[in-house]
């Protein structure tokens, strides 16, 4: 298939692009910079220059493709409202372009905030609706297009999609630990984060493109939940730092904006996804990656 991928040169998107190309798909990646464009061309992908604010470009990219995989997000933690608005506008634009075509439209989402007190499953609908919701309610918006002749699929990624070169949440936590001289965890460290290796996540996306029914919610989750204390201990080992509990009242001051997420229980299962797609995670665990030095040069 001819696949238009936003975020194609990003952490997850780069791995997805590799997997799609290996599976024989033709990839056109959205690229903001010369460096991103060169990286995509070096892999054998085509390039569409633009960004999430270029709605005309997104529309044309979707119209020209046989499938769309939307992985880009501004992730501007200083402007969450702007980030959410851009995300919603992008999904709305590409969904409208695909309406009535029956073409696949796979949209990135997450497992955060789905349920409380237990691991989230694929059966749990997102409670986030409307422009003012997290990510602009883009998951529900995308799935609504299934009723308008679009083969919409939600890609819910674990809070940590880890591996060598990751610059996401675990890299940020590692950088904070190095700056503070201590690897901390919130409270008793019993809250959990689901995790998946980036190669496993990429393979799930490719399988989802070919196998997932319209309206599906897929969970890119290999480990149901790694306790935050275990994560902090692995970071401590990686950088030879002491490990300590951070009082919940001090979490915002110690961790900054990421403290909100590190204090949440973000466990999730992927049993339904694995059975549906025949997907079996085989990559290293999060702790194995940390112990092997995957984050040795983090930030």
């Amino acid at each position: 298939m001819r696949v238009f991928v936003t975020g194609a040169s990003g952490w997850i998107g780069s791995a997805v692009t590799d997997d799609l190309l290996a599976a024989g798909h033709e990839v056109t990646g959205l690229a903001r910079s010369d460096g991103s464009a060169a990286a995509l061309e070096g892999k054998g992908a085509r390039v569409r220059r633009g960004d999430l604010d270029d709605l005309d470009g997104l529309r044309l990219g979707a119209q020209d493709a046989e499938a769309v995989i939307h992985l880009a997000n501004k992730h501007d933690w200083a402007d969450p409202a702007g980030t959410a608005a851009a995300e919603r506008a992008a999904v709305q634009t590409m969904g409208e372009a695909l309406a009535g075509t029956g073409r696949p439209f796979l949209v990135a989402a997450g497992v955060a905030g789905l349920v409380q007190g237990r691991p989230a499953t694929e059966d749990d609908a997102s409670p986030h609706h409307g422009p003012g919701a997290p990510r602009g309610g883009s998951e529900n918006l995308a799935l609504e297009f299934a009723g308008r002749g679009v083969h919409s699929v939600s890609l819910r990624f674990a809070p940590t999609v880890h591996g060598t070169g990751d610059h996401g949440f675990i890299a940020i936590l590692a950088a904070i630990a190095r700056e503070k001289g201590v690897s901390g965890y919130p409270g008793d460290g019993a809250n959990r984060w689901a995790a998946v290796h980036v190669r496993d996540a990429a393979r799930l996306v490719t399988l989802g493109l070919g196998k997932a029914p319209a309206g599906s919610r897929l969970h890119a989750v290999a480990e149901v939940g790694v306790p935050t204390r275990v994560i902090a201990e692995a970071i401590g080992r990686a950088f030879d730092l002491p490990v300590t509990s951070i009082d919940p009242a001090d979490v915002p001051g110690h961790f900054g904006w990421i403290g909100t997420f590190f204090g949440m229980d973000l466990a999730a299962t992927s049993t339904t996804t694995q059975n549906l797609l025949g997907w079996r995670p085989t990559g290293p665990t999060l702790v194995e990656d940390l112990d092997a030095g995957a984050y040795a040069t983090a930030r």
Side-chain angles (χ1 to χ4, degrees):
M1 274 191 274
R2 297 192 313 277
V3 187
F4 177 47
V5 181
T6 72
S9 62
W11 169 240
I12 297 175
S14 182
V16 168
T17 296
D18 290 343
D19 206 85
L20 290 170
L21 291 170
H25 296 289
E26 179 184 295
V27 176
T28 297
L30 185 70
R32 290 183 300 169
S33 67
D34 291 343
S36 294
L40 289 170
E41 290 171 341
K43 293 173 181 283
R46 298 184 178 185
V47 173
R48 174 175 287 278
R49 294 300 295 264
D51 57 29
L52 291 187
D53 294 321
D54 178 13
L55 298 182
D56 287 339
L58 294 179
R59 184 180 298 108
L60 291 173
Q63 289 173 342
D64 291 345
E66 294 172 310
V68 174
I69 300 176
H70 175 46
L71 302 174
N73 190 281
K74 288 188 174 182
H75 294 302
D76 185 353
W77 304 108
D79 183 18
T83 293
E87 170 69 0
R88 186 173 183 88
V91 170
Q92 183 75 47
T93 297
M94 291 185 286
E96 294 283 357
L98 295 171
T101 66
R103 295 174 184 171
F105 184 28
L106 281 61
V107 176
V111 302
L114 296 177
V115 295
Q116 299 292 324
R118 63 170 174 80
T121 75
E122 295 88 341
D123 290 332
D124 293 314
S126 171
H128 307 311
H129 295 269
R135 297 184 74 101
S138 60
E139 178 183 30
N140 282 315
L141 177 61
L143 293 178
E144 287 168 7
F145 276 103
R148 298 180 56 190
V150 180
H151 196 100
S152 303
V153 175
S154 171
L155 303 170
R156 289 177 173 172
F157 293 99
T160 172
V161 181
H162 56 87
T164 302
D166 174 22
H167 53 270
F169 283 178
I170 297 300
I172 293 169
L173 290 170
I176 292 169
R178 296 174 75 178
E179 175 190 349
K180 302 286 186 178
V182 61
S183 181
Y185 55 87
D188 62 5
N191 61 299
R192 302 159 297 170
W193 272 17
V196 65
H197 191 272
V198 66
R199 290 196 304 271
D200 287 325
R203 183 59 183 153
L204 178 143
V205 174
T206 301
L207 289 171
L209 176 63
K211 293 185 176 183
S216 298
R217 305 181 191 98
L218 305 180
H219 278 199
V221 170
E223 296 180 88
V224 172
V226 186
T228 52
R229 179 170 183 166
V230 171
I231 295 173
E233 289 170 345
I235 292 173
R237 288 194 301 274
F239 299 103
D240 194 24
L241 295 171
V243 180
T244 188
S245 168
I246 305 298
D247 187 280
D250 297 328
V251 163
H254 183 88
F255 292 103
W257 62 266
I258 201 173
T260 299
F261 297 100
F262 206 36
M264 296 173 68
D265 192 63
L266 302 179
T269 65
S270 61
T271 303
T272 298
T273 297
Q274 293 192 41
N275 291 338
L276 177 67
L277 303 182
W279 175 68
R280 298 292 182 268
T282 59
T285 67
L286 173 58
V287 169
E288 287 171 345
D289 257 349
L290 280 161
D291 285 345
Y295 292 83
T297 59
R299 297 171 76 87

